[in-house]
Amino acid sequence: MPFKLEFKLEAPGDRPLRRAFVVYERVGDLTPAWQRMLPALQDYIDRRIATGGTHHNMPPFAPLSPRYARWKARRYPGAPILVRTGRLRDSLTNPNHPDAIATVAPQSLTYGTSVPYAAYHQLGTQRMPARPPIKLSKTLQTHLLTILRNYLIEQGESR
């Protein structure tokens, strides 16, 4: 379940952003910016799962069914929603995990997991509500765009 980050840059009236847009046109490799974003994504997902979805004032994950909640509490006491063995969480927060997907290319960052059941949580099923581990808050989106903008401004100043 990879998640590809895509940004559309438009030249607004703000001078630093306009300068970043001009530099973006000249910079062929955004790899350093993607590498700065990746830890922010991983930390955000870790906190999102740890808080039951509410990190950055996001709505909580849908509650577990009463029957499943009782079963999980007996077998995995204290494990939050989306965590049973930790495989899904770890694949999204640990870049060295065998199921982690973090592909950095000059013009893209692909981030996600190859855990087979991740899509069921992300999208939901007929019997289970969606509890998307990868759902970016406005705060995180702003932070990621700031990282990109700052990188482009750095590149513009160094040229």
Side-chain angles (χ1 to χ4, degrees), residues 33-100:
W34 306 137
Q35 290 170 333
R36 293 176 192 175
M37 288 181 186
L38 198 52
L41 276 167
Q42 292 163 333
D43 180 62
Y44 169 80
I45 298 301
D46 191 38
R47 291 171 188 254
R48 179 166 165 72
I49 292 172
T51 63
T54 62
H55 187 54
H56 285 180
N57 295 316
M58 296 288 283
F61 294 134
L64 302 175
S65 70
R67 181 176 178 213
Y68 182 71
R70 286 190 304 275
W71 179 89
K72 185 177 178 183
R74 282 193 309 273
R75 286 173 179 75
Y76 302 94
I81 292 179
L82 291 184
V83 177
R84 200 158 85 183
T85 65
R87 180 181 175 192
L88 176 61
R89 178 198 55 215
D90 294 349
S91 71
L92 290 168
T93 61
N94 177 354
N96 299 316
H97 192 279
D99 292 311

Side-chain angles (χ1 to χ4, degrees), residues 1-3 87-92 94 97-102 110-119 134:
M1 181 197 68
F3 175 80
R87 180 181 175 192
L88 176 61
R89 178 198 55 215
D90 294 349
S91 71
L92 290 168
N94 177 354
H97 192 279
D99 292 311
I101 296 173
T110 303
Y111 166 77
T113 179
S114 62
V115 170
Y117 51 84
I134 301 177

Side-chain angles (χ1 to χ4, degrees), residues 7 10 16 20 23 31 60 76 82 99 106-107 118 128 133 140 149 155-156:
F7 296 96
E10 297 176 2
V23 173
T31 299
Y76 302 94
L82 291 184
D99 292 311
Q107 294 296 315
M128 182 180 78
L140 181 66
R149 186 199 75 180
Q155 294 305 300

